[in-house]
Amino acid sequence: MKSRRAGPPDGGYGWVVVMSAFFIMGLTAAVLKNFGLFFLDIQSHFGVPTSTTSWVTSTTIAMFHLGAPVASVLTAQFSQRVVIMVGGLLAASGMLLASLDLSLPWLFLTMGVLQGMGISLSWIPANSMVSHYFVRWRPVAYAIASSGECVFAFIFSPCFQWLIETYTWQGTLLIIGGLQLNLCVCGALMRPLETVPSPIQETQGCLEGNAAVLPPKRKVIVQCSLMRKPELLLYILFAVFAAAGFFIPPLFLVPFASSLGMDTYWRALILSVLALADLAGRLICGWIANVRLFRNLQLLTMVVTLLGVVLLLLPISHNYWAILVFASLYGFLFGCVVAIHVTSIVDIVTLEGFDNGLGLFMLFRSIGGFIGPPAAGEQS
């Protein structure tokens, strides 16, 4: 006997889910994007080289990705609501414990492992909920939800810089941990779609005289059979290479600007401008994807190619305005990629396999995310 989820409402309470996901993106990915503001303070505090300091962020990114299959399995076993709330507790605990400033390995464990796992357990189910609540408006709904990362990154950049100067980086981590407790509130708003009986189940219910129907067992095993799809394998390969460069500019733009002698707040402004351009890219590309001018994968190929060109040109900028222009272009194109790279998974594995497909995608993407920042730190 099987049950199925109710059809996506494409609106209604779905917009509450979108707004909840908006705040989840802001309290997870936007915080990670602003790790670069802590980079120089942590490096000088412990007296370690750039490549060693970058392992803190690299560990966070790796755990964010490695936790994706765990998040998918837990979502299938329990619900998106429960998993997001647990993720919020882990993320907040990571920052609160990191503020104790015991040692650099302690930061690897707290800011790295706990924070990364907390982000994963919050971010993955939030994306899943948006995809399950929408069909027709899915690209627009995801673009709005993911734009929370940009809006909060824009706000956090100057705020975190002020907090660091006022309360030190340790005190700022404590405050961020308190903010991330709001992930539990966002998770509570994530109402799962109701499960309705399938036609077969309804027929059997009538024949058995309204006998009690046992609840279906949830599938808790990651569907590795999806790896047989050559399209998914190629998409995972793209993810590995993309993740190797995704997180490098936000992490190293602040140290790069510092090496050119720029003022503290001007350096923070670069991240704010990048976040605004990122927001514009997500909303515009989400709209283009929704009007179906191109297939999602075709559109993704175009913007990724342009993004690669911009990243090649970024290191040649040696004054503030040149950095600002290239950071804006990078932010816009990065936003375009983010707006459609998750929804493209549905095109490859269908909505039924989306949760597992996203988990596998994020798992393998961790390879690039783990190697990229330390490799860039060695070259800086």
Side-chain angles (χ1 to χ4, degrees), residues 20-204:
S20 180
F22 176 90
F23 282 95
I24 289 171
M25 303 298 175
L27 292 169
T28 55
V31 171
L32 180 56
K33 264 191 171 182
N34 281 282
F35 269 20
L37 294 172
F38 299 91
F39 192 92
L40 294 175
D41 290 280
I42 292 174
Q43 183 181 5
S44 61
H45 180 74
F46 291 106
V48 292
T50 303
S51 57
T52 304
T53 309
S54 65
W55 279 107
V56 176
T57 304
S58 186
T59 305
T60 312
I61 295 168
M63 291 307 301
F64 169 36
H65 291 83
L66 289 171
V70 178
S72 297
V73 170
L74 291 176
T75 297
Q77 179 67 22
F78 302 104
S79 69
Q80 287 94 342
R81 173 182 285 168
V82 172
V83 177
I84 291 171
M85 294 174 74
V86 171
L89 291 174
L90 283 176
S93 299
M95 285 306 205
L96 294 171
L97 292 171
S99 68
L100 297 176
D101 181 24
L102 299 182
S103 65
L104 189 58
W106 179 253
L107 291 186
F108 292 155
L109 175 63
T110 53
M111 281 184 75
V113 177
L114 285 179
Q115 176 70 193
M117 183 59 72
I119 290 175
S120 186
L121 294 183
S122 302
W123 192 90
I124 297 295
N127 280 287
S128 172
M129 284 293 282
V130 173
S131 294
H132 282 296
Y133 261 87
F134 291 88
V135 175
R136 180 187 173 191
W137 297 104
R138 185 179 292 141
V140 170
Y142 182 75
I144 294 172
S146 67
S147 66
E149 176 184 336
C150 316
V151 173
F152 276 80
F154 175 76
I155 297 170
F156 282 164
S157 294
C159 287
F160 285 1
Q161 187 63 56
W162 178 80
L163 287 171
I164 289 170
E165 292 182 0
T166 307
Y167 301 105
T168 73
W169 64 270
Q170 296 95 331
T172 304
L173 293 180
L174 183 66
I175 294 170
I176 293 172
L179 286 173
Q180 287 186 320
L181 284 173
N182 287 290
L183 288 168
C184 298
V185 179
C186 296
L189 294 173
M190 291 293 196
R191 188 172 69 196
L193 286 170
E194 293 180 1
T195 302
V196 298
S198 67
I200 296 175
Q201 195 179 62
E202 290 175 351
T203 303
Q204 288 179 341

Side-chain angles (χ1 to χ4, degrees), residues 229-309:
K229 290 179 175 284
E231 299 92 342
L232 183 60
L233 290 175
L234 288 172
Y235 200 61
I236 285 173
L237 187 62
F238 149 75
V240 172
F241 287 111
F246 262 11
F247 302 97
I248 291 174
L251 179 62
F252 288 100
L253 270 175
V254 171
F256 180 54
S258 177
S259 69
L260 299 177
M262 294 180 188
D263 184 70
T264 302
Y265 281 96
W266 284 107
R267 300 198 300 259
L269 183 61
I270 293 175
L271 294 181
S272 293
V273 171
L274 189 151
L276 280 180
D278 188 351
L279 173 62
R282 294 181 194 225
L283 296 178
I284 292 172
C285 197
W287 174 79
I288 293 173
N290 201 70
V291 297
R292 305 289 196 272
L293 291 176
F294 306 97
R295 287 184 61 211
N296 281 348
L297 292 174
Q298 292 173 333
L299 185 59
L300 186 63
T301 302
M302 288 187 280
V303 295
V304 165
T305 302
L306 292 172
L307 180 58
V309 173

